[in-house]
Amino acid sequence: MSPAPPKPQAVSWASIPRKGQLAVIVFARLAEPLSERSLSSYLFYQLRWFDPSLSAAEIAKQAGYLTAVFAAAQCLTSMWWGYAADSPYLGRKPVLVVGMMGSAISALGMDFSRSLSMAFFFRFLAGALNGNVGVLRTMVSEVVVDKRYKARAFLLLPMCFNVGVIIGPLLSGFLADPVHSLPSIFGPGSLFGGKGGVLWMTKFPYALPNLMFAIILGTAALAIILGLDETHPQLRHQPDRGRRLGRLLVRRLLRGKADEYAYHPIHYDTSAASNARLSCDEVVETPANVCLTMLQRFLQSLHVSAFNSIFFSLLPAPRADQASFDLPFRFSGGLGLSSKKVGFANTTIGMIGLPLQLLLYPKLIGSIGVRNSYRVFLPLSIIAYVLLPYPVLLPDDVVLIWICLSSVLVMRVTSRTFVNPATVMLVNDCAPSPHLLGTVNGVASSISSAARILGPTVGGAMLGWGLSHNFVGLPLWVLAMIAMVNWIALLLIEHVKM
């Protein structure tokens, strides 16, 4: 009697293959939101530092424009970076290294910006040199070939976003203007400050957070060079001097004990893997589905980017006189939060999302599927957009404000947690060939960037108009309508079974 076949290994976080490679990808993805999302904690105050005469409405507009210029640069270049990553003359790794170093240089530039025009230049530079999101998504699909693990593997990138949202804004909120926010360390008569405080921190009050994140981005670039394998189908087996140096350093550090843990790549036929995926799902992509997939990507990025711009300008905006309000729709003002409290709001968002992604998402996706999770949880964003303006009506009670604000944010973050990975996987499955993964993700990144130009620009302008015309809820209610159209577009997609 032949022995029973072994049971297949259960799918879990511990069973995901190629953890070392995924760790480098995760670190590379984490470094960018640490830097990018940190701006939201102090951007309002940095713009006011550029020009103290600006009103809250004008600052909201400028914040939207500054967010949009980054997306505009990405829109112009993401497709070309995706094409470069697919080219056998360049590959995935060099594109990632350029992106990391470009982000580090722009962060250093923001360190010492003293005008809006300088800030615009360095934000444009950051977007123009960075096509990393699409390339990292491509590499995840090439590192983890087994489809059983893909839902968890693709979840790692948005998880990094949430970790960045937790750490980045919290750190930058405390480190911004350190002479005043940390006077015992950097202020006059302090440990490092001397008689008048740290001089360069007084001259450039928002340099310290960016300096720290530039170092992290540079470290991530080094980790890619030394620790990440090239995954381009035509380049993966070619000699890699960076990896050779990385392995040499590991052997030196571990005194030769690393050989028994060395990774030996498994060779597989990518075209066969692609055909297996198609035959398993029994689907052939149609141009209409590809277009609808890109449309949902555009709409999702549109209302998410607009929300981030509006929300983090609304939090520090001064409170308004409630005598002029005409409820339930005509009211104005923000919550008047400091940079530290804005950073804490960012951290709250990340702390809500991270346990959902780690504990609930894998189990729920296994039972209802990726696309159904998108359908079920997107309406929570619609509800959150409708309710979010109303906390500005609350009395100036810290506990009450945070309870109500957190309750609405739970809906928004829950929606984002279950929707964002689905948008990535839907786009990834649009690729007609594994050799075009980088290009497809580059096109999707350009489309997403176009939405992130429009969202913050229009959202910031609408918020500025709403603050001036006693109608501050209007931009968020418009986002609710856009999210509704996003949901309808999703229902029309006849996509791959996931």
Side-chain angles (χ1 to χ4, degrees):
M1 185 175 178
S2 60
K7 294 182 179 180
Q9 185 180 17
V11 176
S12 66
W13 288 110
S15 65
I16 292 179
R18 303 195 67 182
K19 296 181 184 65
Q21 292 296 289
L22 288 175
V24 179
I25 292 174
V26 163
F27 180 43
R29 182 67 185 104
L30 174 62
E32 291 182 322
L34 276 175
S35 176
E36 292 301 319
R37 291 307 298 268
S38 69
L39 283 172
S40 59
S41 293
Y42 61 83
L43 183 58
F44 185 93
Y45 297 98
Q46 187 174 19
L47 292 173
R48 177 170 282 175
W49 177 70
F50 288 158
D51 186 354
S53 66
L54 292 177
S55 65
E58 188 61 30
I59 292 175
K61 291 180 185 178
Q62 288 189 1
Y65 298 152
L66 200 58
T67 303
V69 74
F70 175 85
Q74 281 196 322
C75 182
L76 293 173
T77 61
S78 288
M79 184 170 63
W80 301 109
W81 285 122
Y83 179 78
D86 275 341
S87 169
Y89 299 104
L90 199 60
R92 321 297 196 209
K93 280 184 64 173
V95 171
L96 290 180
V97 172
V98 171
M100 286 294 169
M101 295 310 298
S103 295
I105 292 168
S106 68
L108 289 173
M110 285 292 290
D111 280 354
F112 304 106
S113 293
R114 302 200 65 171
S115 67
L116 183 63
S117 59
M118 289 181 66
F120 268 114
F121 172 78
F122 285 110
R123 294 303 295 154
F124 183 87
L125 185 68
L129 295 178
N130 195 325
N132 284 2
V133 174
V135 179
L136 288 170
R137 288 168 180 165
T138 299
M139 294 190 79
V140 168
S141 69
E142 293 170 330
V143 167
V144 180
V145 181
D146 192 332
K147 193 170 182 179
R148 294 176 300 163
Y149 300 100
K150 282 199 171 184
R152 291 175 186 263
F154 273 105
L155 184 60
L156 290 172
L157 299 185
M159 280 173 57
C160 292
F161 175 83
N162 266 339
V163 173
V165 165
I166 293 172
I167 300 173
L170 190 63
L171 284 176
S172 61
F174 279 95
L175 296 179
D177 195 8
V179 172
H180 295 100
S181 62
L182 299 170
S184 61
I185 302 175
F186 302 110
S190 64
L191 179 63
F192 299 110
K195 184 178 293 186
V198 179
L199 182 60
W200 68 270
M201 291 182 180
T202 303
K203 191 175 181 180
F204 301 102
Y206 301 98
L208 186 59
N210 281 311
L211 184 61
M212 179 183 67
F213 294 128
I215 294 172
I216 293 174
L217 288 163
T219 305
L222 186 62
I224 291 169
I225 294 171
L226 299 179
L228 189 61
D229 292 327
E230 176 61 67
T231 61
H232 189 288
Q234 295 176 253
L235 302 176
R236 64 177 55 164
H237 304 305
Q238 294 187 7
D240 187 330
R241 294 179 180 177
R243 288 293 283 129
R244 284 181 178 176
L245 178 58
R247 291 189 181 100
L248 176 62
L249 292 174
V250 170
R251 284 197 296 269
R252 291 288 178 86
L253 290 172
L254 299 180
R255 296 182 180 179
K257 296 180 180 180
D259 288 339
E260 59 183 298
Y261 302 108
Y263 167 72
H264 302 285
I266 298 174
H267 304 292
Y268 66 94
D269 187 346
T270 54
S271 61
S274 176
N275 291 333
R277 175 174 65 86
L278 290 173
S279 61
C280 178
D281 290 327
E282 297 179 349
V283 66
V284 177
E285 285 297 337
T286 65
N289 279 342
V290 173
C291 292
L292 282 171
T293 301
M294 294 299 177
L295 175 62
Q296 64 81 25
R297 179 68 174 160
F298 175 83
L299 293 171
Q300 170 70 6
S301 298
L302 181 65
H303 62 80
V304 168
S305 63
F307 166 79
N308 290 333
S309 176
I310 292 167
F311 181 65
F312 292 110
S313 294
L314 188 64
L315 293 182
R319 298 180 71 91
D321 182 7
Q322 298 193 12
S324 60
F325 292 177
D326 185 10
L327 301 179
F329 302 116
R330 299 299 299 271
F331 54 92
S332 187
L335 292 173
L337 301 184
S338 66
S339 62
K340 288 184 181 180
K341 291 179 180 178
V342 174
F344 182 73
N346 260 303
T347 299
T348 300
I349 291 175
M351 291 180 69
I352 294 170
L354 193 59
L356 290 174
Q357 289 175 327
L358 282 171
L359 304 176
L360 184 59
Y361 180 88
K363 295 180 180 179
L364 194 61
I365 292 306
S367 60
I368 70 173
V370 175
R371 184 161 58 119
N372 286 332
S373 75
Y374 196 161
R375 289 176 173 176
V376 170
F377 288 97
L378 181 58
L380 288 180
S381 284
I382 300 173
I383 298 171
Y385 294 151
V386 172
L387 296 179
L388 204 52
Y390 289 99
V392 305
L393 300 174
L394 297 172
D396 195 7
D397 184 321
V398 174
V399 175
L400 179 61
I401 287 174
W402 280 106
I403 289 175
C404 294
L405 195 60
S406 298
S407 299
V408 178
L409 287 177
V410 164
M411 289 188 286
R412 172 71 189 97
V413 175
T414 301
S415 175
R416 189 193 70 195
T417 298
F418 289 94
V419 165
N420 281 3
T423 65
V424 174
M425 295 183 73
L426 290 174
V427 169
N428 198 70
D429 282 316
C430 282
S433 163
H435 298 279
L436 296 175
L437 275 172
T439 301
V440 168
N441 278 297
V443 171
S445 293
S446 289
I447 290 173
S448 175
S449 296
R452 289 187 286 113
I453 298 168
L454 185 62
T457 302
V458 176
M462 290 180 65
L463 179 61
W465 184 90
L467 288 169
S468 301
H469 293 80
N470 207 33
F471 209 170
V472 75
L474 177 63
L476 286 161
W477 297 331
V478 170
L479 296 191
M481 291 186 281
I482 295 172
M484 179 63 74
V485 177
N486 183 184
W487 190 66
I488 294 170
L490 177 67
L491 297 179
L492 297 175
I493 296 176
E494 297 177 3
H495 214 284
V496 294
K497 181 180 179 182
M498 290 192 295

